Amino acid sequence: MSYDAWILLTGSLVGLTCGVTGALLVLRKMSMLADAISHTVLLGIVGAFFVTQSLNGLPMLIGAAIVGVLTAFFVQMLDSSGVQSDAAIGVVFTSLFALGVVLISFVGDSVHLDVEHALMGEIAFIPWDTLTVQGMNLGPKAVWMLGFVFLINVLFITLFYKEIKLTTFDPQFAALLGIPVMFIHYLLMGMISLSTVASFDSVGAILVVAMLIVPGATAYLLTDRFLILLILSGLIGILSAVTGFAFAVLFNVSIAGSMACATGLYFILAFIFSPKHGILMKQIRKYRLSSEQS
Amino acid sequence: MNALSVQNLTVTYDKTPVLQKVGFEIPKGSLTGIIGPNGAGKSTLIKAILQLIPRISGDIQVYGKPYHRQRRLIGYVPQRSEVDWDFPTSALDVVLMGRYGHIGLIKRPGKKEIQIAKEALRKVGMEEYQDRQISQLSGGQQQRVFLARALAQDAQIYFMDEPFVGVDAATEKAIIQLMQEWKEEGKTVLVVHHDLQTVEDYFDHVLLLNKSPVGCGPTQKVFTMENLKQTYGGSLKFLGENSVVLQERV
Amino acid sequence: MFDLLSNANTQWVLIGSIMLGFASGVIGSFVLLKKQSLISDAMAHATLPGVGLMYIIFEYKSIPLFLIGATITALLATYSIQLIIKHSRIKTDAAIGSVLSVFFALGIVFLTYISKNTSGNRSGLDDFIFGQAASLVASDVRMITIGSAILIILSALFFKEFKITIFDPLYAMGLGLPVRFLNLVLLGLVVGIVVIGIQMVGVVLIAALLITPPLSARYWTDKLGRMTILSGVFGAVSGVAGTVISTIGEGLPTGPIIVLCASIIFLFSLLFGSKKGFIPKVVSTHEL
Ligand SMILES: Nc1ncnc2c1ncn2[C@@H]1O[C@H](COP(=O)(O)OP(=O)(O)OP(=O)(O)O)[C@@H](O)[C@H]1O
Ligand SMILES: [Mg+2]
């Protein structure tokens, strides 16, 4: 496959994985927790580096998953001790993220781990960082990692579909039925952390937020069905990746940044033109109604 | 056998106990009104029984067994469901959620479940709206959907927190009818209720509560002016018409 | 080390950091009570495209121009959030998250455009991301100090009006207070502190200075007046400690260090705070 094709595939996988998982957080009104986790996984990655002294995929995944779940845990703790939840999120993620950034500055220059990388990712290098097994070139590592995480996410969502749906819609009722609400919560946080860290190399810790939240919010404007919303969100993620890539090539700018901007573009389109919930359609309906009456 | 037995239940939010050493028993097949002033701890009592909030102490038995082993027998209609009304889900979908406890982890609802859910919607007169997204229902209709969900749950003991607030007379009637049906099927129903005038018409049992139970038992025996005075304290005079009615009766 | 601290420039930077920390602590108290902590984070992230755009348009580095650009995009972001919440079913959290991430992404796109497509280099612009006290020149510091002072004075002037409009806007309206105007003033204060602070603390973390100190102060008092002052003090201490540490340990980014100092104060307050602090609470529950 060509260089560009690999980049497109990687970006699309980021869009798909983050789109599907992130939509769940949008529905749970926890978008900002996604924002928080995607910042704090940086600490997990730096931590994994200090422990293993290498930038290896698996320890990074584990470190990120741990810190991601810890973030959710700290927020939950502050929240239940009476701190208002937006401030709880703010204080936890800025603290852990600041710690991660400071620790990074202790990492030597020889190691490829720096702040810019953390923010923007380096999708342009992805195709060269390939996985080779017994001399065979199997394509970029990031693609394997993203594919793997996507499958895990889909597996969990399929297995716990109705539990996820119910705990999202009405957690109190779910608790009453004996559904393990907290387990599902942390399962989702784990999925978000995995998605974030798998995307980290390509789009960076902060731009991944756009991929997590915006496609989900866009899909929320387009459909009234749960399953369709998840699928749509994944598709919008892919579409954004492709559009963003085209823009980036055209104007010679950051690929990841432009993919994230593309999510915004589709959001604006849905915000205005969505057949059910777009402002234009609402206006037209209002207009028709008033002209019918007169 | 008692459907519900509560002993030594103490609940605090911060430091001061909201409920202190509450104990009472509710017989099977009864229709009980839980009555008390604002802040008496009625909602708290229900939430504590259902273990939705932590408690300091207390033993709760449902049909003679500890609560956590009887979860499936319990239905709950909250004061007002605090859900996201824009959630991508239809009325039928919501009712179907009442079956999730029966289906078990991981498995999916099948034809039988859908049939039960549809039947429940029909009973509350909402079958035409089964595919509506829930934000496109009126407040009373939403309340009916949640009632249908409780119905689909096929519980043995129901807790309803002020089900009549903000619903029209027709819906109130529908709810009462449903409660009567449940009672006839031998199910037990507990309802938090504020309108003192209708207590005697609706309920065969009452639980008077103000931080601790003032009285609990058959309506004729417990629902007396004296007990009410004790429950509402000095605030009874604020009850206006109701207390006048009561005074005449007593 | 004392050499460094007796250096006139460093002293000015320290004074600037104290003023900035104090002002952000004070304004943060209002933001916290108005439940707008994360909106301020979105504003902060949204300043980045403004800075980049100014450079693309005028092709030269001028801090005042950058700050004007930052103000414009920050306000635009705030307006977008309100627009989305008001005119769609999207909830606050998703609206904030979307606007924050897309504006920031736009900023990154502009920065890469600058480095790849214009003759200039973007060094110096990158400092806006995490802040760099060491790169501040005298005029920057003067602006930070004077700007913070103005913001503090405004907060003091409008203190009692803010208090009532935040607590009960309808009642305030009934009293005949210009609630909309006061909200605008508060918005101005927040944008002001964010814009002034990004050079030193950076767009990614400046919101922490608005969130963490007031949250810490809340553990020590229930009174808004005291809370505001205490929060200002916490902010000032974090600012000065962070600046000193990052100046001594060369290459340490200033913003994250300042934020870490604020976080340590928060942790301490969480554990020992006289109101609602963890340990006093445990002790008093035992007495019960
Ligand atoms: N989440 C909470 N945190 C702290 N205190 C609470 C909380 N919820 C309720 N309380 C307090 O507990 C007491 C009992 O509240 P509860 O909601 O059980 O009253 P209620 O009898 O249902 O009143 P109402 O008739 O108004 O519904 C009240 O004094 C209330 O202030
Ligand atoms: Mg109540």
Side-chain angles (χ1 to χ4, degrees):
Chain A
M1 250 176 20
S2 77
Y3 173 83
D4 283 354
W6 279 123
I7 290 189
L8 264 177
L9 181 62
T10 312
S12 304
L13 276 173
V14 170
L16 182 65
T17 311
C18 293
V20 173
T21 327
L24 289 172
L25 285 201
V26 171
L27 288 175
R28 293 169 93 90
K29 301 192 236 10
M30 289 180 179
S31 313
M32 292 316 284
L33 206 51
D35 181 41
I37 287 180
S38 48
H39 282 76
T40 55
V41 293
L42 179 70
L43 181 60
I45 288 168
V46 184
F49 172 78
F50 277 114
V51 173
T52 63
Q53 289 297 319
S54 77
L55 286 177
N56 204 334
L58 196 62
M60 266 174 46
L61 269 184
I62 296 172
I66 292 175
V67 177
V69 171
L70 265 184
T71 306
F73 176 71
F74 287 146
V75 170
Q76 185 83 32
M77 237 174 55
L78 286 181
D79 211 3
S80 57
S81 83
V83 177
Q84 70 197 43
S85 66
D86 64 332
I89 290 175
V91 81
V92 169
F93 94 78
T94 52
S95 303
L96 296 184
F97 185 62
L99 190 61
V101 174
V102 170
L103 286 182
I104 276 194
S105 55
F106 289 114
V107 175
D109 282 340
S110 58
V111 184
H112 184 72
L113 184 64
D114 57 44
V115 168
E116 192 167 334
H117 181 197
L119 286 178
M120 298 197 244
E122 279 177 1
I123 203 168
F125 293 154
I126 292 291
W128 290 315
D129 187 15
T130 55
L131 184 72
T132 34
V133 176
Q134 293 170 344
M136 230 182 23
N137 187 339
L138 294 175
K141 274 183 197 160
V143 169
W144 283 97
M145 195 140 104
L146 280 162
F148 172 69
V149 170
F150 176 67
L151 286 183
I152 288 189
N153 287 353
V154 169
L155 179 76
F156 280 136
I157 294 177
T158 321
L159 276 183
F160 296 106
Y161 181 75
K162 78 177 190 309
E163 285 77 16
I164 290 176
K165 186 168 161 184
L166 182 54
T167 53
T168 304
F169 176 61
D170 193 346
Q172 201 177 50
F173 186 68
L176 199 70
L177 294 185
I179 287 170
V181 179
M182 275 298 138
F183 167 74
I184 301 283
H185 175 73
Y186 285 111
L187 185 74
L188 277 177
M189 294 306 136
M191 282 160 57
I192 293 290
S193 312
L194 285 182
S195 313
T196 307
V197 74
S199 316
F200 178 87
D201 244 357
S202 7
V203 297
I206 292 181
L207 297 180
V208 76
V209 183
M211 282 296 194
L212 279 171
I213 302 176
V214 191
T218 311
Y220 191 57
L221 290 175
L222 293 173
T223 176
D224 279 337
R225 310 232 344 243
F226 187 75
L227 183 63
I228 295 188
L229 193 152
L230 297 191
I231 296 170
L232 210 54
S233 179
L235 292 180
I236 294 169
I238 295 177
L239 204 60
S240 307
V242 175
T243 320
F245 182 71
F247 267 112
V249 172
L250 205 60
F251 296 105
N252 191 18
V253 291
S254 152
I255 297 174
S258 135
M259 287 176 173
C261 286
T263 63
L265 186 69
Y266 288 112
F267 178 84
I268 294 172
L269 287 180
F271 182 70
I272 300 174
F273 297 110
S274 161
K276 259 197 171 152
H277 304 288
I279 46 172
L280 188 68
M281 291 303 148
K282 276 192 214 157
Q283 283 303 325
I284 290 178
R285 242 174 282 146
K286 230 187 255 168
Y287 176 77
R288 276 209 198 122
L289 216 63
S290 58
S291 60
E292 262 168 35
Q293 265 160 10
S294 60
Chain B
M1 184 175 47
N2 284 322
L4 175 69
S5 129
V6 173
Q7 274 164 30
N8 195 25
L9 178 68
T10 300
V11 181
T12 69
Y13 282 109
D14 282 324
K15 282 180 204 164
T16 44
V18 173
L19 296 171
Q20 199 156 26
K21 300 203 171 150
V22 172
F24 61 90
E25 273 158 1
I26 303 288
K28 181 173 182 295
S30 66
L31 196 51
T32 304
I34 302 177
I35 292 151
N38 292 135
K42 303 179 296 293
S43 301
T44 305
L45 174 69
I46 291 187
K47 286 183 192 158
I49 292 175
L50 301 179
Q51 306 197 345
L52 296 172
I53 51 173
R55 50 186 190 202
I56 303 278
S57 70
D59 180 44
I60 288 149
Q61 303 244 322
V62 176
Y63 290 105
K65 287 192 191 136
Y67 170 84
H68 61 270
R69 288 173 52 197
Q70 304 284 60
R71 261 209 172 109
R72 252 190 225 183
L73 302 182
I74 287 159
Y76 172 47
V77 184
Q79 193 156 2
R80 165 121 180 116
S81 296
E82 283 157 17
V83 298
D84 170 13
W85 295 103
D86 288 325
F87 196 87
T89 186
S90 63
L92 182 65
D93 230 15
V94 172
V95 179
L96 209 47
M97 289 175 187
R99 301 298 302 167
Y100 283 10
H102 296 260
I103 306 170
L105 272 182
I106 296 173
K107 282 189 226 118
R108 290 295 159 78
K111 274 213 181 83
K112 180 175 145 250
E113 260 66 41
I114 295 176
Q115 212 47 53
I116 294 175
K118 281 188 174 164
E119 177 62 23
L121 268 179
R122 199 188 55 73
K123 268 200 178 159
V124 298
M126 289 288 297
E127 69 266 47
E128 309 164 45
Y129 300 99
Q130 65 171 41
D131 293 322
R132 278 272 180 99
Q133 202 275 331
I134 50 172
S135 68
Q136 292 153 16
L137 299 171
S138 76
Q141 290 172 331
Q142 289 168 344
Q143 185 84 352
R144 285 178 188 224
V145 169
F146 279 86
L147 206 63
R149 183 174 75 174
L151 195 63
Q153 232 181 311
D154 195 22
Q156 290 303 312
I157 174 164
Y158 282 101
F159 295 86
M160 306 171 90
D161 198 345
E162 304 194 23
F164 305 125
V165 172
V167 301
D168 62 6
T171 308
E172 176 159 345
K173 219 168 177 184
I175 297 175
I176 289 291
Q177 206 173 1
L178 204 63
M179 293 192 315
Q180 295 289 353
E181 270 174 41
W182 279 337
K183 182 182 148 67
E184 274 152 33
E185 289 167 22
K187 295 176 176 176
T188 313
V189 189
L190 289 94
V191 184
V192 174
H193 193 54
H194 268 305
D195 183 5
L196 294 180
Q197 274 181 299
T198 49
V199 168
E200 289 174 311
D201 302 335
Y202 289 173
F203 305 109
D204 55 20
H205 276 67
V206 290
L207 167 61
L208 294 173
L209 187 75
N210 193 351
K211 306 230 155 63
S212 58
V214 174
C216 177
T219 310
Q220 312 96 306
K221 265 193 173 152
V222 178
F223 195 67
T224 60
M225 195 60 216
E226 203 174 321
N227 276 344
L228 279 173
K229 261 190 191 145
Q230 207 186 327
T231 312
Y232 285 86
S235 67
L236 192 58
K237 61 174 172 287
F238 296 115
L239 292 173
E241 276 176 49
N242 286 337
S243 63
V244 176
V245 171
L246 280 163
Q247 248 146 12
E248 280 168 6
R249 235 183 261 166
V250 175
Chain C
M1 169 182 162
F2 287 102
D3 268 3
L4 204 62
L5 293 184
S6 57
N7 174 321
N9 192 40
T10 317
Q11 280 175 357
W12 270 109
V13 171
L14 287 184
I15 292 174
S17 67
I18 290 178
M19 294 294 282
L20 179 71
F22 192 85
S24 61
V26 168
I27 296 170
S29 305
F30 302 131
V31 175
L32 178 77
L33 295 175
K34 224 171 164 230
K35 303 201 166 48
Q36 291 195 331
S37 305
L38 290 176
I39 295 186
S40 68
D41 192 29
M43 271 186 216
H45 280 75
T47 55
L48 192 63
V51 172
L53 199 59
M54 281 303 181
Y55 188 81
I56 293 176
I57 295 174
F58 295 101
E59 294 220 358
Y60 96 109
K61 262 179 217 153
S62 145
I63 297 293
L65 267 183
F66 287 170
L67 299 193
I68 291 172
T71 309
I72 294 173
T73 45
L75 288 175
L76 195 64
T78 317
Y79 178 68
S80 311
I81 293 174
Q82 283 166 355
L83 191 75
I84 293 173
I85 297 173
K86 198 164 161 207
H87 291 288
S88 77
R89 59 195 329 214
I90 308 272
K91 306 293 177 289
T92 314
D93 65 309
I96 297 175
S98 303
V99 168
L100 179 155
S101 56
V102 171
F103 271 76
F104 188 74
L106 203 60
I108 297 284
V109 165
F110 287 161
L111 289 195
T112 50
Y113 181 84
I114 291 167
S115 66
K116 286 181 182 156
N117 300 334
T118 65
S119 52
N121 68 45
R122 65 177 220 245
S123 73
L125 288 187
D126 276 352
D127 284 344
F128 278 97
I129 295 179
F130 284 119
Q132 193 51 265
S135 67
L136 294 179
V137 296
S139 63
D140 300 338
V141 179
R142 217 175 306 137
M143 195 206 57
I144 291 177
T145 312
I146 295 172
S148 304
I150 295 176
L151 295 180
I152 294 170
I153 293 170
L154 280 175
S155 310
L157 282 179
F158 287 108
F159 179 80
K160 109 180 156 310
E161 281 79 12
F162 283 153
K163 184 172 165 178
I164 190 143
T165 41
I166 291 172
F167 177 64
D168 191 348
L170 285 179
Y171 180 69
M173 237 179 252
L175 287 183
L177 287 177
V179 172
R180 280 179 63 101
F181 169 73
L182 287 168
N183 281 335
L184 276 181
V185 174
L186 189 57
L187 177 67
L189 291 183
V190 178
V191 174
I193 195 73
V194 164
V195 167
I196 294 176
I198 47 178
Q199 266 187 294
M200 196 178 251
V201 189
V203 304
V204 179
L205 285 169
I206 179 80
L209 272 194
L210 288 168
I211 301 172
T212 312
L215 209 53
S216 315
R218 195 68 190 76
Y219 282 92
W220 299 97
T221 171
D222 281 332
K223 295 219 168 67
L224 179 63
R226 281 187 208 160
M227 172 183 158
T228 311
I229 303 231
L230 197 58
S231 165
V233 172
F234 286 162
V237 171
S238 316
V240 75
T243 312
V244 169
I245 295 171
S246 93
T247 317
I248 295 171
E250 272 171 48
L252 285 181
T254 315
I257 301 269
I258 293 181
V259 171
L260 275 188
C261 292
S263 306
I264 290 169
I265 296 178
F266 172 72
L267 209 58
F268 183 80
S269 308
L270 178 70
L271 290 177
F272 302 106
S274 54
K275 306 268 157 156
K276 297 193 301 185
F278 184 67
I279 289 174
K281 207 165 165 180
V282 169
V283 172
S284 75
T285 318
H286 267 278
E287 281 165 5
L288 192 87

